[in-house]
Amino acid sequence: MRVRLSEVTLDVEVSGEGPVVLLLHGFPDSHLLWRRQVPALNAAGYRTVAPTLRGFGASDRPEGGPEAYSPAKHVGDMLELLAHLEVDRFHVVGHDWGSAVAQGLASVVPERVRGLGLLSVGHVTAVLGAGWEQKQRSWYMLLFQLAGLAEDWLSRDDHA
């Protein structure tokens, strides 16, 4: 389904009944990342909300440069989406970039977060304090600091 928010329209998959699990994908994915987890969570008695974040997949790609994609913008989108769906308390699971958004949600509205799961990423303070070896292992993040570089590199050979 498409959900219109104040700044963007997001592509969102909502299914099941019960306590809500918000599933936040990483880069360069969409809500389809969770296609195997959603049926299992629904069968276990959970309602899943799996949005495609702004700038990804079939969701809107706002103009305005990097500030239009800040973690705060994503957190705001998720809070607005949850309000639209009339969700008060929720579990949140984030993978990769989605983990940063999940951590932001847990920081901003901790009283609403029933549980927090972070996949394929360390806590931001641990990553920042990990030193030079971790920075070397995170080389790929530099690609996204220069406008157009990652897009050019990843689209070569018909996106192979």
Side-chain angles (χ1 to χ4, degrees):
M1 72 196 259
R2 309 257 317 146
V3 177
R4 176 75 189 138
L5 304 177
S6 59
E7 291 187 10
V8 292
T9 297
L10 300 180
D11 185 28
V12 183
E13 180 187 305
V14 179
S15 60
E17 293 182 22
V20 170
V21 179
L22 177 64
L23 299 166
L24 304 175
H25 66 83
F27 180 87
D29 289 307
S30 69
H31 68 37
L32 295 175
L33 171 74
W34 305 107
R35 67 190 172 279
R36 290 182 177 87
Q37 290 77 23
V38 165
L41 287 164
N42 293 160
Y46 291 95
R47 179 181 180 206
T48 54
V49 176
T52 296
L53 300 172
R54 66 168 54 207
F56 294 89
S59 290
D60 285 356
R61 292 171 181 79
E63 298 293 325
E67 57 278 357
Y69 297 92
S70 72
K73 290 286 189 180
H74 288 284
V75 169
D77 290 346
M78 293 306 99
L79 290 173
E80 193 175 349
L81 173 63
L82 292 166
H84 175 83
L85 297 173
E86 299 180 345
V87 173
D88 183 38
R89 292 186 38 103
F90 56 95
H91 300 277
V92 59
V93 179
H95 171 258
D96 186 59
W97 173 248
S99 291
V101 179
Q103 289 176 66
L105 279 168
S107 296
V108 173
V109 291
E111 70 285 355
R112 295 180 59 193
V113 176
R114 293 178 172 206
L116 172 65
L118 306 175
L119 307 172
S120 300
V121 69
H123 189 276
V124 66
T125 57
V127 172
L128 291 174
W132 181 244
E133 186 178 350
Q134 179 61 44
K135 287 179 179 53
Q136 287 177 307
R137 291 181 178 172
S138 301
W139 66 268
Y140 65 93
M141 293 180 190
L142 292 174
L143 288 175
F144 308 103
Q145 305 306 308
L146 302 170
L149 179 61
E151 292 82 355
D152 178 59
W153 184 58
L154 292 170
S155 66
R156 291 182 185 174
D157 295 325
D158 197 28
H159 296 86

